[in-house]
Amino acid sequence: MSDTTQFRVLDFDCPSCASTVERALSNVAGVQYVEVHYATGRVEIEYDDSVADPDAFVQTIESQGYTPQTA
C-alpha cells in the first residue's frame, strides 16, 4: 500500500544539494516518487509502506550531510 511522508531540510546550500538528496532517496527500496524543493526545503516521498520505512529516509538524508525535520 502506498503512503506519503514529508520532511523539511533547511540546510540546503544550492539546487544541486537538493538534487543530490532527491537522487539518493529515489534509490531507497520501495520509494515510488520523490520531490525535493530547494527554495522551501520541502521533501515529499511517496513509498510502498510494505517495503520502505520512513526511518530509512531520515538516514538517507543524513548520509548526504543534511538534517531532516518532520514536516
Side-chain angles (χ1 to χ4, degrees):
M1 173 154 250
S2 280
D3 202 355
T4 302
T5 191
Q6 291 186 6
F7 296 95
R8 289 189 51 90
V9 179
L10 302 177
D11 48 355
F12 287 141
D13 293 327
C14 62
S16 177
C17 300
S19 294
T20 298
V21 169
E22 188 168 16
R23 275 193 306 277
L25 287 168
S26 68
N27 288 322
V28 174
V31 170
Q32 299 165 335
Y33 174 79
V34 178
E35 188 169 14
V36 178
H37 298 273
Y38 161 70
T40 62
R42 188 173 65 83
V43 178
E44 183 176 345
I45 306 164
E46 184 178 324
Y47 62 98
D48 180 341
D49 62 3
S50 68
V51 177
D53 178 5
D55 289 338
F57 309 146
V58 170
Q59 291 173 356
T60 299
I61 294 169
E62 289 175 342
S63 76
Q64 300 303 306
Y66 302 98
T67 307
Q69 301 172 345
T70 53

